[in-house]
């Protein structure tokens, strides 16, 4: 009896996701021994010869030279003796069914290739064509694709050789992979013709402007069924329990955020905030904490017996993550300086994006903000995070006509929406709170109070 | 390699397999005179065993069975020789490449593979084996060794008058580790306390891709001088020199001579690890030069001249294949550890924070496809 075994591409270098087939050392029909070199591959780190883990007769080479194969996908199939050590074996035990099995695995591999791979080092492959990495770098465009990142004065123009490889340090390659930036399409501005962090960030920004313009094709199935479990189930339960426990009341106010935007710009330029992300959300958070101090009832918890008014702020920020909506909070955010808060927000977002938010991060929140403006909408009626009595929605901030001194001017305008638990927060408190937040957005200098 | 030629070095076995003890090294020669033929065969057998193990482990990594492999190919003489020069009560603090030393102290080779597969943390008991766990953090083990040696000294286990009660410590590290502050700090503390320790530096000439020349302006065996740690260079590809010099200085350390450094000049024939591609930073000529100085080859020539016949070498080769098959089968049969295992050894008793973390992890894992 014999059976079909597969040799799947291993991760030969601590965290690699793929490798390119450089050359095959065997062909179908060849008899191979244990540890006989069957293929030479090139990873992001090195050229590597792969020894066969089993003895047998090669049935099929499951990728062509020049192809890029994902780690875990089969390289070869072979007929091996029953009981052979080292064989990843399909259930197809007889040679007669071997071809079907191979075809099936090959189809899986082909399907996998169509996915946009998460690459370390080589950017994102063209999802429309076969996954085949170019041997030489792509000719850089004549005009830098990175807006707003001029070469530092005094630097010589970087010669770009169309024949050279893409030059980028490993962290930059990682960043590019994370952001889905194809390094071969980025114009380098580094001293040695290397791609810098700014080049990648600029390119990612450029890409994001156009990201939503393509409409995906309609799926062929009439409906898709997504199991309700995990985070989605937790979201559903929390929303239902919140909406049907606390009587919600929402109010809105339009506000001129021009000065806030100028303030954000100045903070971004200041050396103290160098390397820290500054966004209108930061000012909004500060504004809310200022308003909480003037209206403490919005920072409370309602229980059957009592209302607990918190004299600290665990500031929740709703975050959209790949696994769904979560609301981690920044503990004692009211004690933080502007810089500390900015760093804490950045950290919270990064942790959430990586899916590393812990239950402790999400516990004991006292008030929440949801930044729906980043999705381009004006406002909404948010649902309370269970255990809290107020949530604020920050809408998009954009130029709009605004009346100033009886004249229409173009100002940066946004809408602040907020929802309160009416069991705790009455209309007057709610209105004063929202008005206070709005006044800081209109004049951030109030924070100096 | 040319600059090395002018540095004095203890060598008893030339690359051509000629045995000779230079007059000025007669004190080391006397250690060789005490060896029997069985000792010589044991040295060879273990060097060959180490290399076969190494080659198989490299293949297993390439087949996805190990997360990483750290080959010691080319350094067998430095390791096997010096490993056997360490006394039975002495403590050994290895780096992460000391498979040869591990062999001389009876470490189960599968334990090393399990660690590099990520299913255990080493798994041997240093209290029993006196061979401590691999030091993965570069140079850290040298501090641990020095601290242990200071303890030995404070316990008065040096020069007790009864040789069987005397203890010493040896720490293994590479040329790259000498550039770590840890090693300099160790020299200082060991010298100031005159603790019984031998610093055994395998200078394999490459700290990953950094050549030794970029790490030191003086030969490494002199690195400890300013701290008060004398040293000597040996031919690290000469198993007899490695044995004799280690044995002598471990004896001296036990007798109260204080710390000493041995620089074993050797060469890493393979990659730094399976994640490394040495062809990117060193030349084929250089590798060929050192391959010609292979530690096994020269010892084999020596043994054949001593009258050891083909039978022995065939037997060693067969044993190597048997070992390779055994570890291959055992590796493929390894099971993943239980998720809860990693929480079991943090504290000896149940601990609320650890319990909470375990509980969280279980819920987190379940959230990917469980019912809750």
């Amino acid at each position: 009896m014999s059976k079909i075994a597969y040799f799947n591409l291993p991760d030969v270098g601590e965290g690699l996701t793929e490798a390119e087939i450089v050359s095959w050392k065997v062909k179908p029909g060849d008899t191979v021994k244990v540890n006989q070199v069957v293929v030479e591959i090139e990873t992001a780190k090195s050229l590597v010869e792969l020894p066969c883990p089993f003895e047998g007769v090669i049935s099929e080479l499951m990728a062509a030279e020049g192809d890029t194969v994902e780690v875990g996908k089969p390289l070869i199939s072979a007929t091996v003796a029953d009981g052979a050590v080292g064989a990843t074996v399909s259930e197809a035990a007889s040679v007669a069914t071997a071809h079907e099995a191979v075809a099936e695995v090959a189809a899986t591999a082909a399907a996998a290739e169509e996915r946009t791979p998460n690459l370390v080092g080589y950017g994102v492959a063209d999802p429309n064509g076969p996954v085949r990495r170019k041997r030489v770098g792509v000719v850089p465009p004549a005009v830098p694709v990175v807006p707003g990142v001029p070469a530092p004065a005094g630097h010589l123009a970087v010669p770009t050789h169309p024949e050279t490889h893409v030059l980028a340090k490993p962290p930059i390659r990682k960043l590019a992979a994370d952001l889905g930036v194809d390094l071969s399409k980025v114009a380098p501005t580094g001293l040695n013709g290397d791609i810098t962090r700014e080049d990648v960030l600029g390119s990612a920004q450029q890409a994001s402007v156009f990201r939503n313009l393509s409409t995906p094709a309609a799926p062929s199935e009439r409906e898709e069924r997504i199991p309700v479990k995990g985070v989605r189930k937790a979201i559903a339960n929390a929303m239902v329990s919140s909406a049907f426990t606390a009587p919600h009341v929402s109010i809105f106010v339009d506000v001129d955020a021009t000065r806030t935007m100028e303030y954000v710009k100045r903070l971004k330029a200041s050396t103290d905030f160098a390397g820290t992300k500054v966004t209108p959300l930061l000012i909004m958070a500060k504004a809310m904490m200022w308003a909480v101090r003037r209206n403490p009832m919005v920072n409370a918890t309602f229980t059957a017996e009592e209302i607990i008014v918190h004299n600290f702020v665990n500031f929740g920020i709703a975050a959209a993550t790949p696994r769904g909506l979560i609301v981690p909070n920044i503990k004692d955010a009211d004690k933080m300086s502007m810089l500390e808060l900015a760093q804490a927000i950045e950290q919270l977002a990064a942790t959430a994006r990586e899916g590393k938010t812990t239950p402790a991060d999400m516990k004991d929140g006292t008030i929440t903000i949801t930044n729906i403006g980043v999705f381009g909408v004006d406002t909404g009626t948010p649902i309370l995070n269970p255990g809290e009595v107020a949530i604020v929605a920050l809408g998009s901030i954009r130029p709009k006509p605004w009346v100033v001194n009886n004249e229409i001017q173009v100002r940066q305008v946004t809408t602040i929406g907020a929802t309160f638990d009416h069991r705790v927060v009455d209309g007057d408190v709610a209105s004063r709170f929202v008005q206070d937040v709005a006044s800081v957005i209109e004049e951030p200098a109030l924070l100096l109070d | 390699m040319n600059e090395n030629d002018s540095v004095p070095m203890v060598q008893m076995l030339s690359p051509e397999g000629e045995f000779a003890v230079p007059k000025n090294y007669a004190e080391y020669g006397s250690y060789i005179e005490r060896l029997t033929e069985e000792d010589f065969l044991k040295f060879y057998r273990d060097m060959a065993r180490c290399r076969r193990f190494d080659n198989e482990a490299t293949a297993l990594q390439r087949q996805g069975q190990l997360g990483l492999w750290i080959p010691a190919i080319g350094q067998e003489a430095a390791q096997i020789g010096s490993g056997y020069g360490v006394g039975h009560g002495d403590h050994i603090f290895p780096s992460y490449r000391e498979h040869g030393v591990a062999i001389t102290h009876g470490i189960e080779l599968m334990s090393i593979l399990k660690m590099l597969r990520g299913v255990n943390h080493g798994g041997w008991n240093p209290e029993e084996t006196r061979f401590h766990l691999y030091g993965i953090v570069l140079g850290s083990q040298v501090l641990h060794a020095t601290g242990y040696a200071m303890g030995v000294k404070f316990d008065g286990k040096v020069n007790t008058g009864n040789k069987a009660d005397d203890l010493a410590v040896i720490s293994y590290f590479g040329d790259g580790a000498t550039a770590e502050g840890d090693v300099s700090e160790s020299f200082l503390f060991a010298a100031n306390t005159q603790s019984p320790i031998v610093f055994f530096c395998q200078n394999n000439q490459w700290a990953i891709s950094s050549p030794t020349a970029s790490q030191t302006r003086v030969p490494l065996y002199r690195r400890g001088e300013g701290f008060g740690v004398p040293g000597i260079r040996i031919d690290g590809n000469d198993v007899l020199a490695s044995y004799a010099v280690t044995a002598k200085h471990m004896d001296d350390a036990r007798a109260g001579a204080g710390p000493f450094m041995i620089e074993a000049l050797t060469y890493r024939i393979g990659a730094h690890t399976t994640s490394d591609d040495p062809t990117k930073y060193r030349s084929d000529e250089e590798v060929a030069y050192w391959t010609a100085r292979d530690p096994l080859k020269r010892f084999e020539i020596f043994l054949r001249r001593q009258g050891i016949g083909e039978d022995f070498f065939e037997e060693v080769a067969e044993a190597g294949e048997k070992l390779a098959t055994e570890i291959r089968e055992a590796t493929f049969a390894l099971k993943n550890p239980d998720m809860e295992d990693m929480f079991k050894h943090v504290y000896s008793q149940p601990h609320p924070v650890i319990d909470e973390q375990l509980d969280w992890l279980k819920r987190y894992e379940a959230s990917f496809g469980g019912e809750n």
Side-chain angles (χ1 to χ4, degrees), chain A residues 99-115:
Chain A
H99 284 293
E100 283 170 57
V102 168
E104 192 180 319
V105 176
T108 316
E113 277 183 358
E114 280 160 22
R115 269 187 261 135

Side-chain angles (χ1 to χ4, degrees), chain A residues 7 10-14 34-35 44-53 85-87 229-231 233 323 355 357-359, chain B residues 52 55-56 58-59 61-64 66-68 273-277 280 328-329 332 360 363-364 367-372:
Chain A
F7 180 20
D11 171 10
V12 295
E14 298 175 84
V34 169
N35 289 349
K45 290 181 177 178
S46 55
L47 276 172
V48 174
E49 290 182 327
L50 293 186
C52 190
V85 172
K229 63 188 179 190
V231 174
K233 193 160 185 172
R323 296 184 64 200
T357 304
T358 66
Chain B
R52 189 63 190 86
N55 283 323
E56 197 61 24
T58 303
Q61 198 280 338
R62 294 295 184 226
Q63 289 156 1
L66 303 178
L68 179 77
T273 68
T274 45
S275 294
D276 170 46
D277 179 2
K280 284 183 177 166
R328 159 166 295 273
E329 286 175 359
F332 273 94
W360 180 87
R363 277 185 280 119
Y364 179 75
S367 74
F368 287 96
E371 290 305 305
N372 49 331

Side-chain angles (χ1 to χ4, degrees), chain A residues 233-319:
Chain A
K233 193 160 185 172
I235 294 170
N237 289 340
M239 290 297 168
V240 169
S241 115
S242 175
F244 291 99
T245 309
H248 283 51
V249 55
S250 296
I251 52 181
F252 309 94
V253 59
D254 285 343
V255 57
D256 173 5
T258 308
R259 289 202 173 97
T260 287
M261 296 311 278
E262 283 166 1
Y263 187 30
V264 165
K265 210 164 133 190
R266 281 201 300 279
L267 285 178
K268 274 183 183 164
S270 82
T271 47
D272 284 352
F273 281 77
T276 309
K277 202 172 170 198
V278 183
T279 65
L281 180 72
L282 172 65
I283 314 304
M284 190 67 187
K286 271 285 178 195
M288 280 172 66
M289 276 177 282
W290 185 79
V292 161
R293 218 164 51 228
R294 292 160 57 94
N295 309 278
M297 282 305 273
V298 303
N299 189 48
T301 300
F302 181 89
T303 70
E305 300 80 31
E306 53 191 358
I307 293 167
I308 307 162
V309 180
H310 307 295
N311 292 324
F312 59 90
V313 179
N314 286 349
F315 192 79
I317 300 177

Side-chain angles (χ1 to χ4, degrees), chain B residues 94-337:
Chain B
S95 171
Y96 44 68
R97 202 187 297 279
E98 268 66 81
H99 320 315
V101 186
I103 284 176
T104 63
H105 284 260
I107 300 302
E108 173 60 48
L109 289 176
M110 277 311 292
S111 304
I112 300 173
L113 294 183
K114 283 180 193 168
M115 183 171 76
L116 286 153
R117 186 180 169 104
V119 303
N120 77 5
H121 293 154
W124 60 84
N125 180 358
E127 272 307 311
E128 285 165 13
T129 59
R130 291 161 291 103
F131 183 84
H132 289 253
L133 296 177
Y134 274 7
I136 306 292
V137 179
L138 209 64
S140 60
Q141 79 281 7
V142 188
L143 285 169
H144 304 157
T146 302
Y148 200 96
M150 288 165 66
V152 170
K153 169 91 175 180
F154 297 153
D155 283 348
K157 297 277 193 174
V158 179
N159 198 18
T160 57
N162 179 1
K163 284 197 174 164
D165 289 344
D166 294 343
L167 285 182
V169 174
I170 187 167
S171 183
Y172 290 88
F173 53 98
D175 44 296
T178 63
E180 295 278 337
D182 308 44
V183 173
S184 289
E185 290 159 24
S186 300
F187 286 152
L188 185 72
F189 276 80
N192 290 357
T193 57
Q194 284 295 289
S195 293
I197 180 168
V198 170
F199 296 103
F200 195 99
C201 174
Q202 289 169 81
N203 177 0
N204 70 17
Q205 315 210 28
W206 288 97
I208 311 188
S209 56
S210 302
T212 313
S214 71
Q215 317 238 355
T216 185
R217 295 290 297 164
V218 297
L220 285 175
Y221 76 95
R222 293 180 55 195
R223 174 59 65 86
E225 276 176 10
F227 296 96
V229 180
I232 198 166
R233 175 181 280 185
I234 66 168
D235 182 343
N237 287 3
D238 170 0
V239 66
L240 299 180
S242 182
Y243 166 76
V245 176
T246 305
K248 154 111 175 67
H249 290 288
M250 289 301 279
D251 280 354
D252 289 356
R254 273 183 240 108
F260 192 84
M261 175 169 180
I262 299 170
E263 177 197 0
L265 186 71
T266 178
Y267 193 78
R268 190 192 78 212
I269 297 289
H272 171 72
T273 68
T274 45
S275 294
D276 170 46
D277 179 2
T279 61
K280 284 183 177 166
Y281 52 80
R282 61 187 195 185
S283 67
D284 292 346
E285 293 76 38
E286 181 184 306
V287 178
Y289 176 93
W290 284 99
T291 305
R293 279 153 185 75
D294 186 275
L296 271 88
K297 223 178 277 174
R298 74 174 76 172
F299 200 50
E300 181 185 335
I301 297 170
F302 167 77
L303 290 180
R304 286 186 190 274
R305 284 191 190 141
Q306 297 286 307
I308 305 300
E310 189 59 34
D311 290 359
F312 170 73
F313 295 101
E314 276 173 16
E315 172 209 311
V316 170
E318 269 170 40
E321 291 316 306
K322 187 161 168 284
L323 170 76
T325 307
E326 281 168 11
I327 65 164
R328 159 166 295 273
E329 286 175 359
T331 302
F332 273 94
L334 285 175
K335 297 267 184 296
N336 284 343

Side-chain angles (χ1 to χ4, degrees), chain A residues 51-359:
Chain A
C52 190
F54 44 70
E55 187 177 285
V57 178
I58 302 285
S59 314
E60 192 184 356
L61 310 181
M62 303 178 81
E65 290 180 0
D67 282 358
T68 296
V69 178
E70 269 182 76
V71 166
K73 296 285 177 255
L75 292 167
I76 56 173
S77 63
T79 313
V80 303
D82 267 348
V85 172
T88 306
V89 180
S90 79
E91 290 305 310
S94 73
V95 181
T97 56
H99 284 293
E100 283 170 57
V102 168
E104 192 180 319
V105 176
T108 316
E113 277 183 358
E114 280 160 22
R115 269 187 261 135
T116 306
N118 179 20
L119 311 180
V120 177
Y122 296 128
V124 175
D126 177 4
N128 301 319
V131 186
R132 201 174 280 256
R133 188 163 62 77
K134 290 165 191 71
R135 281 215 158 270
V136 292
V138 170
V139 182
V143 188
V145 294
V146 188
V149 189
H155 285 181
L156 294 172
V158 177
T160 44
H161 306 291
E163 292 304 315
T164 53
H165 282 282
V166 167
L167 287 179
K169 290 168 185 163
I172 306 300
R173 290 180 184 272
K174 168 79 165 60
L175 177 71
D178 290 347
L179 297 176
V181 171
D182 180 353
L183 283 176
S184 69
K185 298 204 167 75
V186 177
T189 65
L191 263 188
N192 302 313
D194 56 318
I195 295 170
T196 66
R197 181 170 296 274
E198 286 69 31
D199 296 341
V200 172
L201 291 175
S203 179
Q205 206 177 2
Q206 177 91 344
S208 72
V209 172
F210 299 102
R211 185 170 296 159
N212 292 326
L213 291 187
S214 64
T215 308
S220 51
E221 303 86 11
R222 288 179 65 82
E223 52 192 20
E224 182 187 7
R225 292 179 183 236
I226 301 165
V228 177
K229 63 188 179 190
V231 174
R232 176 50 58 195
K233 193 160 185 172
I235 294 170
N237 289 340
M239 290 297 168
V240 169
S241 115
S242 175
F244 291 99
T245 309
H248 283 51
V249 55
S250 296
I251 52 181
F252 309 94
V253 59
D254 285 343
V255 57
D256 173 5
T258 308
R259 289 202 173 97
T260 287
M261 296 311 278
E262 283 166 1
Y263 187 30
V264 165
K265 210 164 133 190
R266 281 201 300 279
L267 285 178
K268 274 183 183 164
S270 82
T271 47
D272 284 352
F273 281 77
T276 309
K277 202 172 170 198
V278 183
T279 65
L281 180 72
L282 172 65
I283 314 304
M284 190 67 187
K286 271 285 178 195
M288 280 172 66
M289 276 177 282
W290 185 79
V292 161
R293 218 164 51 228
R294 292 160 57 94
N295 309 278
M297 282 305 273
V298 303
N299 189 48
T301 300
F302 181 89
T303 70
E305 300 80 31
E306 53 191 358
I307 293 167
I308 307 162
V309 180
H310 307 295
N311 292 324
F312 59 90
V313 179
N314 286 349
F315 192 79
I317 300 177
T321 74
R323 296 184 64 200
L325 173 74
I326 58 168
V327 189
N329 62 72
I330 298 169
K331 305 283 189 277
D332 290 322
D334 52 322
K335 315 278 189 310
M336 290 182 175
S337 70
M338 185 76 87
L339 179 59
E340 287 167 342
L341 187 62
Q343 288 164 342
I345 291 173
E346 202 177 346
Q347 183 60 46
L348 172 142
T351 308
R353 228 181 353 256
E354 289 165 20
K356 290 183 178 160
T357 304
T358 66

